Amino acid sequence: MAVKRSWVESANELEGDFPVENLPFGVIERDGERRTGLAVGDQILDLHACARAGLLSGEINLDLRALAVSGKARKVRHSAAEWLSEAGHRSRVQPCLVPQSSVRMLPPFEIGDYTDFYASIHHATNVGKLFRPDNPLLPNYKWVPIGYHGRASSIVVSGTEVKRPSGQTKAPDAAAPVFGPSRMLDYELEVGFFVGEGNALGEPVPLHQAEARIFGLCLLNDWSARDIQSWEYQPLGPFLGKSFATTISPWVVTLDALEPFRVPAAPRPQGDPEPLPYLTDERDRLRGAFDIQLEVSLLTARMRAAGDKPARVSLGNLRDLYWTPAQMLAHHTSNGCNLRPGDLLATGTVSGPTPESVGSLLERTKRGAEPLALPDGEQRKFLEDGDEVILRGWCESEGHARIGFGECRGIVIS
Ligand code: CA
């Protein structure tokens, strides 16, 4: 398939995230307004400006939530791809572009509810080994897409500073806990997916319809205070060790853009049970997973001062998950729970089978026992103040333009 070219030159860069085949949706603040835009190269196509220029019908509600629910997002993206590829449209469309560097990105949706899954069996096994060496993977794991209800109010967009949380922690040999700043602050590399059209309370979404409810994907860092988490998590699961901040990338990459990068769900090892019928669908098994490379980089205060580049500390792939996004969404609604437009579901930490592909420091440093060596000679057990965590994600496939997610960044402050 021929790779499309755009008259927006930066959209044609081979290593770029935003060619005209991608056109992810985001929300910008411009002239005091909340506006919906599409990323193209290093620019943003301001859809509200397009409407004012007569390129889009004034009838279309351009609020991103409305676009995601009405199904008009597909048509808008399709039209925009035409305008941006054909030179004849340039004079009318160019005034609707704004450099990405000149505007502030807002969260793409007002997120009502956020649920975090635990869909990487490698992550679940690694973490289980640290907390329960004799019994790493609990017996429900291969039957139930495990998840918990996260906190929506503290979801922030890339670039927002993350304040080190304080909380109760208890050293294993201490008689009582103390209250103070977390000393075991960590990141979790995840992918989020936004709900477009929701479902009514009491009406589960069957697996074969689940993908139609997913508007698109973003990168997500589920910041985690391991010392707070390990003291509080039993018996009801994560709470204050997680709820202080979750960072998302601002661009929502649509399933349409991800179509060339679909892959079969990761094969289940011999002897693993088949999913129950409500989690089984042939189409989902054959093409329900996504081949997305996922990277974590770290930029410490010292590296920043020295002008160093961020150091890659992990490279994994979303295709390794034990459950597909559609299985997670179908399972979420299987008890009748209603999802609403703009709700955010996340995969859980994406870890692969090797040490270089794990998505958290907890796993990489074996809970601090094996510090990670950085290229400038520094070491990390967990995150220090001034450390910036940068997530990136991209897709590559022969014959298709590379597409990416942009960045999901956050710097730790005290
Ligand atoms: Ca998580």
Side-chain angles (χ1 to χ4, degrees):
M1 184 191 290
V3 171
K4 272 198 199 122
R5 288 190 62 85
S6 172
W7 47 263
V8 179
E9 273 311 316
S10 59
N12 302 322
E13 284 169 17
L14 286 177
E15 294 294 304
D17 282 344
F18 305 125
V20 77
E21 288 84 351
N22 192 356
L23 300 183
F25 285 91
V27 174
I28 60 175
E29 189 179 85
R30 195 178 181 203
D31 298 339
E33 288 179 348
R34 220 183 123 83
R35 298 190 184 183
T36 302
L38 298 170
V40 55
D42 59 7
Q43 305 288 306
I44 296 168
L45 182 66
D46 178 342
L47 293 176
H48 298 251
C50 292
R52 281 165 206 169
L55 285 154
L56 280 170
S57 148
E59 305 290 292
I60 298 183
N61 182 345
L62 291 172
D63 173 71
L64 187 52
R65 181 187 157 109
L67 279 179
V69 173
S70 67
K72 297 228 166 79
R74 176 171 284 159
K75 188 172 176 295
V76 167
R77 230 182 116 258
H78 192 78
S79 304
E82 243 175 66
W83 307 332
L84 293 162
S85 337
E86 289 164 18
H89 293 291
R90 181 170 183 166
S91 61
R92 283 180 80 196
V93 177
Q94 193 145 30
C96 305
L97 291 173
V98 50
Q100 286 185 29
S101 57
S102 73
V103 293
R104 194 163 81 92
M105 299 298 302
L106 302 173
F109 294 99
E110 210 169 291
I111 300 163
D113 276 300
Y114 159 48
T115 303
D116 196 17
F117 283 87
Y118 200 52
S120 161
I121 194 167
H122 302 294
H123 173 68
T125 306
N126 293 339
V127 173
K129 272 184 195 156
L130 294 169
F131 286 89
R132 296 177 302 274
D134 49 336
N135 184 21
L137 202 62
L138 295 170
N140 58 3
Y141 189 84
K142 292 178 176 177
W143 299 94
V144 182
I146 301 290
Y148 73 97
H149 293 288
R151 182 77 196 166
S153 66
S154 53
I155 297 172
V156 295
V157 78
S158 177
T160 308
E161 291 175 334
V162 172
K163 192 169 177 192
R164 178 180 297 275
S166 285
Q168 277 198 34
T169 60
K170 191 182 95 56
D173 52 354
V178 294
F179 185 89
S182 166
R183 307 282 18 129
M184 297 172 81
L185 185 58
D186 199 358
Y187 57 78
E188 287 191 342
L189 164 67
E190 305 197 12
V191 168
F193 43 109
F194 284 104
V195 175
E197 187 191 349
N199 62 300
L201 183 63
E203 291 180 15
V205 178
L207 180 54
H208 72 275
Q209 290 174 8
E211 266 197 6
R213 309 303 178 102
I214 299 174
F215 177 65
L217 275 56
C218 68
L219 304 173
L220 183 146
N221 182 347
D222 175 24
W223 302 91
S224 300
R226 302 301 181 192
D227 41 3
I228 299 173
Q229 184 184 1
S230 60
W231 173 234
E232 75 174 2
Y233 89 104
Q234 288 178 318
L236 285 185
F239 182 33
L240 302 181
K242 298 277 192 179
S243 61
F244 57 95
T246 303
T247 305
I248 54 172
S249 58
W251 295 108
V252 186
V253 176
T254 63
L255 292 199
D256 285 347
L258 290 165
E259 192 64 28
F261 311 104
R262 286 177 173 280
V263 286
R268 295 194 155 210
Q270 189 114 40
D272 280 12
E274 285 301 312
L276 291 178
Y278 80 100
L279 291 172
T280 301
D281 176 70
E282 187 60 4
R283 194 178 146 88
D284 185 60
R285 194 179 65 77
L286 293 174
R287 55 195 305 280
F290 297 89
D291 181 0
I292 304 174
Q293 300 264 60
L294 296 166
E295 179 195 69
V296 185
S297 304
L298 199 58
L299 185 68
T300 68
R302 201 165 103 185
M303 290 161 70
R304 193 177 307 110
D308 293 347
K309 282 191 178 144
R312 176 187 283 179
V313 293
S314 164
L315 183 65
N317 196 301
L318 194 71
R319 65 187 298 169
D320 289 334
L321 294 185
Y322 199 76
W323 302 101
T324 65
Q327 284 175 315
M328 290 181 241
L329 189 142
H331 179 68
H332 202 313
T333 66
S334 63
N335 65 345
C337 173
N338 52 327
L339 297 176
R340 294 176 294 189
D343 279 1
L344 179 63
L345 278 57
T347 55
T349 308
V350 181
S351 290
T354 63
E356 294 74 31
S357 62
V358 296
S360 68
L361 284 175
L362 174 74
E363 294 162 86
R364 188 62 193 268
T365 70
K366 305 269 189 323
R367 209 179 183 186
E370 297 172 16
L372 175 68
L374 297 172
D376 70 341
E378 290 183 276
Q379 288 198 333
R380 283 293 179 275
K381 295 177 177 174
F382 289 99
L383 297 170
E384 306 279 337
D385 291 348
D387 285 355
E388 185 169 27
V389 178
I390 304 151
L391 311 185
R392 289 184 149 278
W394 65 91
C395 305
E396 286 169 321
S397 168
E398 190 67 35
H400 297 279
R402 173 199 193 275
I403 67 167
F405 284 74
E407 291 181 329
C408 177
R409 304 175 81 108
I411 187 166
V412 177
I413 60 165
S414 56

